[in-house]
Amino acid sequence: MTIPRRTLAVVTTWAATRYLLLLCVFGVLVLPGPDVTSDVHVIYQGWSQVLGTGTYPLDDVTWQYPPLAALAILSPAALPFLDYASAFFVLAFLADLLVFALLMYAAGRPGKSRSGAWVWALGVPLLGPTAYARYDLMVTAVAVAALLAGARHPRLLGALAAVGTLLKVWPVLLLVRAPRRALTTAAACAAGLLVACVAAAPGALAFLTFQRERGTEVESLGALVFQAARHFGWRGRVQLNYGSVEFLGPYVPLVSALAMALSVLAFGWLVLWRVRFRGSPRPSTVADAAFTAVLLFTTTSRVISPQYLLWLVGLAAVCLAFRRSPMVRPAQLVLVATGVTFLEFPLWFSHVVAGDWLGVLLLVVRNGLLVAASLLACRQLWRSTPRPRGPLAPSTARTAEPSPAR
């Protein structure tokens, strides 16, 4: 059996880039900048030891994740013949492979395209080894599976969205334009899983307090205010706080509040779009809406950690798996932003922390690309939405067929 040349090209690209990623996380290739695998070696492994005692990390403010995140942290135990970090990297690789396989399978169905598989094959390595050194890739795999299954199995979409939400919150946005059956299934599954987690171990809801107290992270959109202000006498500082490098000092709470206000405005726009939508959805509408929603909330967040780009790459890949998705240009901007993110972390993260011209330039370009992608995605989603027609709309009256004789 001969493999088509285009299929062979994307498979070869995926395999070659993943080989390089594995070399990086296993320390064969060493990149400049901080060691991105330290989160796995130190933080994740430490959490796994605490979770193994039957409780969540109640005394660790860096634990800011929903209760099912414990499954991702404990998952390396499934490979007892490997040390913790090695097992985690192998599982991240397998999650990556799962996403790629799902996208390649989807490409063979009517109305689908191989473009989604290309976005995933190219987008993940653009982030560098960070992609395999965070559990976000596993969450993204759940989200991709949910959206690809959602067109034919809405209840499966809801169930997987519930699991993803209790892994890392953001997959709740997969339900922005989901059918009602998916919403009811998601609510029931989330409630059941949450009750089980609370009953299983103390501290299942501790993440709510820790997450609320985070500030403005140095890579976020709002941080650009302080990146510029400290060159003009702003008396603040950069410090590791709540698990990320943040700005602390005058006006930081104000900028954080403004960032949250932008997120609220983004939510309001999504509600307006959802209310406006009354027609039959396009095949890609559920994925397009999810991609736009996650893009909006990522861009306006107080924290934009590098691994957040994995979410966007995964959802962009699902959008482009549909031949007529309007999200081609926003997806392209996300891919470029992912490449710039690799430059600012880990390669030149010291420049970002120092706030010199190179660090500020990288953040302006990356965050500018995310803003542009967000605005363009909103425009494309709005334009691709059928306009509602009332019973007395002029267009309906003009095209109405004569009534049959009574």
Side-chain angles (χ1 to χ4, degrees):
M1 180 177 179
T2 303
I3 300 177
R5 184 176 301 177
R6 293 181 180 179
T7 299
L8 183 60
V10 66
V11 170
T12 301
T13 300
W14 182 87
T17 53
R18 274 40 179 198
Y19 178 68
L20 292 175
L21 286 181
L22 288 172
L23 290 179
C24 288
V25 294
F26 280 106
V28 179
L29 294 179
V30 179
L31 299 175
D35 178 13
V36 300
T37 66
S38 62
D39 276 24
V40 178
H41 288 285
V42 179
I43 299 176
Y44 287 7
Q45 187 165 1
W47 287 341
S48 71
Q49 293 169 353
V50 175
L51 290 165
T53 66
T55 182
Y56 287 89
L58 293 172
D59 299 324
D60 189 346
V61 295
T62 62
W63 175 260
Q64 300 166 8
Y65 308 110
L68 279 190
L71 295 181
I73 301 304
L74 292 171
S75 62
L79 303 177
F81 49 88
L82 294 174
D83 63 83
Y84 182 89
S86 297
F88 185 91
F89 300 144
V90 169
L91 291 173
F93 168 80
L94 292 176
D96 183 0
L97 176 59
L98 173 63
V99 174
F100 183 69
L102 289 173
L103 291 167
M104 289 297 291
Y105 175 77
R109 303 187 65 83
K112 298 297 198 304
S113 166
R114 198 179 288 107
S115 298
W118 271 113
V119 169
W120 184 254
L122 296 173
V124 173
L126 283 176
L127 195 61
T130 302
Y132 278 12
R134 304 290 186 273
Y135 86 90
D136 295 79
L137 200 151
M138 302 172 186
V139 183
T140 303
V142 174
V144 169
L147 289 176
L148 290 176
R152 309 178 95 191
H153 307 286
R155 295 191 185 280
L156 182 56
L157 163 61
L160 290 175
V163 172
T165 300
L166 292 181
L167 279 170
K168 206 167 185 182
V169 180
W170 67 265
V172 70
L173 297 173
L174 304 181
L175 302 171
V176 167
R177 183 54 188 94
R180 183 173 298 178
R181 284 176 295 169
L183 297 177
T184 54
T185 301
C189 289
L193 289 171
L194 191 58
V195 169
C197 290
V198 171
L205 302 180
F207 76 99
L208 295 172
T209 300
F210 297 155
Q211 185 66 242
R212 185 179 65 245
E213 296 176 357
R214 297 192 72 166
T216 297
E217 192 253 349
V218 294
E219 299 164 88
S220 65
L221 183 62
L224 287 173
V225 174
F226 302 111
Q227 292 284 11
R230 59 180 173 174
H231 292 284
F232 296 94
W234 176 70
R235 296 183 178 181
R237 65 190 186 280
V238 175
Q239 182 177 312
L240 183 64
N241 189 54
Y242 286 96
S244 64
V245 182
E246 299 179 353
F247 281 111
L248 301 175
Y251 307 110
V252 172
L254 174 61
V255 171
S256 296
L258 290 175
M260 295 181 69
L262 282 177
S263 296
V264 171
L265 287 175
F267 178 76
W269 184 90
L270 289 168
V271 170
L272 176 63
W273 171 82
R274 183 65 181 85
V275 170
R276 177 182 184 270
F277 187 93
R278 295 180 185 176
S280 298
R282 300 163 58 97
S284 67
T285 296
V286 173
D288 295 337
F291 173 61
T292 303
V294 175
L295 186 53
L296 284 170
F297 281 93
T298 299
T299 303
T300 60
S301 175
R302 295 171 294 167
V303 179
I304 304 182
S305 295
Q307 61 269 23
Y308 292 8
L309 275 293
L310 279 175
W311 315 345
L312 301 178
V313 169
L315 299 189
V318 176
C319 291
L320 267 61
F322 294 87
R323 290 189 181 280
R324 296 187 178 182
S325 171
M327 295 297 160
V328 174
R329 189 62 61 83
Q332 292 170 342
L333 292 175
V334 164
L335 287 179
V336 178
T338 304
V340 178
T341 299
F342 174 58
L343 295 179
E344 64 94 355
F345 184 90
L347 295 188
W348 291 325
F349 189 60
S350 60
H351 294 275
V352 173
V353 174
D356 59 23
W357 70 268
L358 178 57
V360 174
L361 176 63
L362 289 171
L363 290 181
V364 168
V365 172
R366 197 280 303 275
N367 292 344
L369 287 166
L370 290 180
V371 170
S374 298
L375 295 176
L376 187 56
C378 289
R379 178 174 178 267
Q380 296 296 88
L381 185 64
W382 189 273
R383 292 182 64 182
S384 65
T385 301
R387 294 181 180 277
R389 293 184 177 184
L392 300 179
S395 59
T396 303
R398 286 196 300 267
T399 59
E401 295 292 331
S403 299
R406 289 186 172 85

